[in-house]
């Protein structure tokens, strides 16, 4: 669950995309029925993820486990916000 104050707005989205870009795997974020490419800031912002929303992070590729774990940890850390 996304638990930072305002969800995934511009700053958290940029952190998320920057981290995702560091992995070789194809990474998808799903909110309800909408899916977005984790390496595209436009795609992530278009999901409209707010505080309390559930998202699913899926990765396919050679570093899929590390990618999914790192991005999940970023979300759980509230993107470094207080």
């Amino acid at each position: 669950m996304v638990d930072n104050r305002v969800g995934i707005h511009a700053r958290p989205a940029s952190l998320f995309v920057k981290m995702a870009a560091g992995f070789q795997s194809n990474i998808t974020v799903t909110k309800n029925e909408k899916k977005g490419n984790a390496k595209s800031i436009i795609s992530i912002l278009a999901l409209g993820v707010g505080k309390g929303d559930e998202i699913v992070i899926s990765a396919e590729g050679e570093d899929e486990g590390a990618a999914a774990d790192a991005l999940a940890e970023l979300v759980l850390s509230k993107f470094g916000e207080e």
Side-chain angles (χ1 to χ4, degrees):
M1 176 174 30
V2 176
D3 200 31
N4 60 315
R5 285 185 324 205
V6 293
I8 302 182
H9 57 86
R11 189 190 69 78
S14 68
L15 293 173
F16 192 88
V17 169
K18 184 176 181 179
M19 181 176 283
F23 295 97
Q24 296 295 317
S25 295
N26 292 320
I27 308 166
T28 303
V29 178
T30 305
K31 176 192 165 200
N32 299 329
E33 300 296 318
K34 292 166 56 172
K35 293 185 180 199
N37 178 349
K39 297 180 182 181
S40 165
I41 194 161
I42 300 296
S43 186
I44 295 302
L45 290 172
L47 293 173
V49 179
K51 179 180 173 81
D53 287 343
E54 295 283 337
I55 61 171
V56 176
I57 301 168
S58 306
E60 290 184 24
E62 62 185 58
D63 55 1
E64 60 192 33
D69 289 347
L71 291 167
E73 183 59 36
L74 179 63
V75 173
L76 292 173
S77 76
K78 299 181 186 180
F79 301 91
E81 294 180 3
E82 296 293 319

